[in-house]
Amino acid sequence: ATPDSIKAMFSSWGTVRRVSILVDKATRKSRGCAYVQLRSPDEAQDACARLDGTAPLAREGHRLSVTMAMEAAEVRGLVAKREAGPVDGAAGDGDGGGGGDGGFDAAVTLEDIRRRLAAFAAERDWDQFHTPRNLVLAMTGEVGELAELFQWRHDGGCEPGLPTWTAAERTHLGEELSDVLLYLVRLSDRCG
């Protein structure tokens, strides 16, 4: 499968924002797994319901296993928010869960995240790939994506609170910070 063929498959159920196929670092061949990001959680749930267990590529009888990762709102709730108002219209408690203080969602602990990541990896038999070395390398790639958001901006464009950033830029920043945090928590868990 290619990113284009996967995008075409999922486009029937929503707007595909990104397709990432996991590849083996040594062979550069697909590991048979891809991440597909759709525009909304509703579209993603619809795609999961309709594609899970199907064999649209008809390759040697392989069937798709399509599941939700973490909901976008859950991931965004893990990273600091500087925008006024709660995440996705949820009621805020003034304790950081998306409010303007730059805090975190107090209801989500690092242990909660660790357990969810461990269960997510175990369900997919990914522990064999989640060695400390592989996780450090994957996290380094995510740190690079985070750094790209700040590259070529002058210091005035990166003041605390990022007042000159657009809502879309801040959302993208939250996504990249979440990726780094999730890899860091998974790495910590796998290192014991």
Side-chain angles (χ1 to χ4, degrees), residues 72-114:
E74 289 178 291
V75 173
R76 285 194 304 270
L78 303 177
V79 294
K81 296 294 181 191
R82 298 242 179 238
E83 299 170 22
V87 176
D88 289 343
D93 60 6
D95 197 18
D101 67 354
F104 292 86
D105 185 339
V108 179
T109 67
L110 287 174
E111 178 59 20
D112 294 334
I113 298 167
R114 186 203 63 76

Side-chain angles (χ1 to χ4, degrees), residues 134-145:
N134 287 348
L135 290 167
V136 165
L137 293 174
M139 185 175 64
T140 300
E142 295 299 337
V143 169
E145 291 180 19

Side-chain angles (χ1 to χ4, degrees), residues 121-185:
E123 288 169 5
R124 290 154 181 80
D125 194 28
W126 287 354
D127 284 341
Q128 62 184 318
F129 305 115
H130 284 189
T131 64
R133 176 191 169 276
N134 287 348
L135 290 167
V136 165
L137 293 174
M139 185 175 64
T140 300
E142 295 299 337
V143 169
E145 291 180 19
L146 175 62
E148 285 178 16
L149 301 178
F150 292 90
Q151 188 177 19
W152 311 122
R153 289 182 185 256
H154 56 85
D155 286 339
C158 296
E159 296 170 343
L162 307 175
T164 62
W165 287 41
T166 67
E169 289 171 327
R170 296 163 71 78
T171 296
H172 190 186
L173 174 62
E175 293 167 351
E176 298 304 338
L177 285 169
S178 295
D179 290 344
V180 172
L181 174 64
L182 295 175
Y183 271 115
L184 182 60
V185 170

Side-chain angles (χ1 to χ4, degrees), residues 14-57:
T15 303
V16 177
R17 288 189 170 169
R18 180 169 50 176
V19 174
S20 300
I21 297 176
L22 283 107
V23 295
D24 183 274
K25 300 287 183 192
T27 65
R28 303 300 299 162
K29 291 183 180 180
S30 170
R31 289 186 173 170
C33 180
Y35 290 105
V36 179
Q37 182 184 19
L38 291 152
R39 181 182 57 198
S40 73
D42 289 339
E43 289 177 350
Q45 292 219 349
D46 193 29
C48 286
R50 295 177 185 265
L51 287 172
D52 189 42
T54 65
L57 300 178

